[in-house]
Amino acid sequence: MSKISDKTPNFKLGEDAENETNVIGLPVLETLRRKRRMVMWVGGVIAAVVVVMLVLWFSPLLAVKNINVHGTKLSNAESLTSKLGSFKGTPLPQVSSERVLKLLQEDPTVQDVVVQAQTPATLDVQVIEYVPVAIRRDENGENLVAADGHVLVPATKEHAESLPLIELPAGNQDQAVFSAVTTVLGELRADVRSQLTSATASTIDSVQLKLSDGRTIVWGSAADGAKKAAVLEALLTVDPKESGQTIDVSSPDHPVSK
């Protein structure tokens, strides 16, 4: 029979456990140190950026000295520049498009603005004006109107040659009818509007347009405006002798020429 050894393995649990702890623990501590260093580095960068932004935000070195206004056709650039004079001395980063638009919206021609800072001291303002779609004639004379119906500026001879005149039936002062007409005209491209001489309606559902060649366009209501405009453009390419004197797009899926 084989002899069973009475020797038992000599396990040094305390020492081995300590060694094992050391082997595993060191990398963990090093990882924590790296994370702390990373957090501190990122925090430092963020703090530096904040400081720079605050310096720029309040820095007199970037104070507005010059204001350039452009993009105006209907409005007066000098007048708009004068209205923005209160921004002089204000650091450029503090001047937003919203603040500029708030000052210029009193002008009926200004729809929106695009503001850019040109360092070190110039504020550049691109004005986006409302597009005139027609001429309105009343006791105040002839004025350009936008698609939403509001009055822009007095019309000139040049405008009269490229925009239709809105002619409502005598005594009709219904603003809803007027707005229906201007909305319809706003759906048309500029080159199509330039072919019109007038626009009229007795109700919001009976808008009609008159072409310079004498033809009448029956539009109907302002509904489906984009589709009606597309159909009309296609029909205007047809020889007037073939299309007749009346183009009816009130039902754009079934247009009629007669």
Side-chain angles (χ1 to χ4, degrees), residues 8 30 59 113 125 158 169 186 208 249:
T8 58
E30 182 61 25
S59 175
V113 296
V125 180
E158 180 182 356
Q208 291 191 11
V249 296

Coordinates of all heavy atoms in Angstrom, one line a residue, residues 8 30 59 113 125 158 169 186 208 249:
T8 N 1.3 18.4 5.2 CA 0.2 19.2 4.6 C 0.7 20.5 4.0 O 1.8 21.0 4.4 CB -0.8 19.7 5.8 OG1 -0.1 20.4 6.7 CG2 -1.5 18.5 6.4
E30 N -4.4 53.6 -9.5 CA -3.8 54.4 -10.6 C -5.0 54.9 -11.5 O -4.9 56.0 -12.0 CB -2.8 53.5 -11.4 CG -2.2 54.3 -12.6 CD -1.4 55.5 -12.1 OE1 -0.9 55.5 -11.0 OE2 -1.2 56.4 -12.9
S59 N -16.3 93.0 -22.3 CA -15.1 93.7 -22.7 C -15.4 95.0 -23.5 O -16.1 94.9 -24.6 CB -14.2 92.8 -23.6 OG -13.1 93.6 -24.1
V113 N -34.4 90.0 -39.4 CA -33.0 90.5 -39.5 C -32.0 89.4 -39.3 O -32.3 88.4 -38.6 CB -32.7 91.7 -38.5 CG1 -33.5 92.9 -38.8 CG2 -32.8 91.2 -37.1
V125 N -26.0 94.3 -40.0 CA -27.4 93.9 -39.9 C -27.9 93.7 -41.4 O -28.0 94.7 -42.1 CB -28.2 95.0 -39.2 CG1 -29.7 94.6 -39.2 CG2 -27.7 95.2 -37.8
E158 N -42.9 102.6 -60.6 CA -42.2 101.4 -60.9 C -43.0 100.2 -60.3 O -43.2 99.2 -61.0 CB -40.8 101.4 -60.3 CG -40.0 100.1 -60.6 CD -38.7 100.1 -59.9 OE1 -38.3 101.2 -59.4 OE2 -38.0 99.1 -60.0
P169 N -65.3 95.7 -54.8 CA -66.5 96.4 -55.1 C -66.8 97.6 -54.3 O -66.4 97.7 -53.1 CB -67.6 95.3 -54.9 CG -66.9 94.0 -55.0 CD -65.5 94.3 -54.5
G186 N -50.0 86.4 -52.6 CA -48.8 85.9 -51.9 C -48.4 84.6 -52.3 O -47.2 84.2 -52.2
Q208 N -60.8 86.8 -57.9 CA -60.5 86.7 -59.3 C -59.3 87.6 -59.6 O -59.2 88.7 -59.0 CB -61.7 87.2 -60.2 CG -62.9 86.2 -60.1 CD -64.0 86.5 -61.2 OE1 -63.8 87.3 -62.0 NE2 -65.1 85.9 -61.0
V249 N -59.2 78.0 -61.8 CA -58.4 77.0 -61.0 C -59.0 76.9 -59.6 O -58.3 76.4 -58.7 CB -56.9 77.5 -60.9 CG1 -56.2 77.5 -62.2 CG2 -56.8 78.9 -60.3

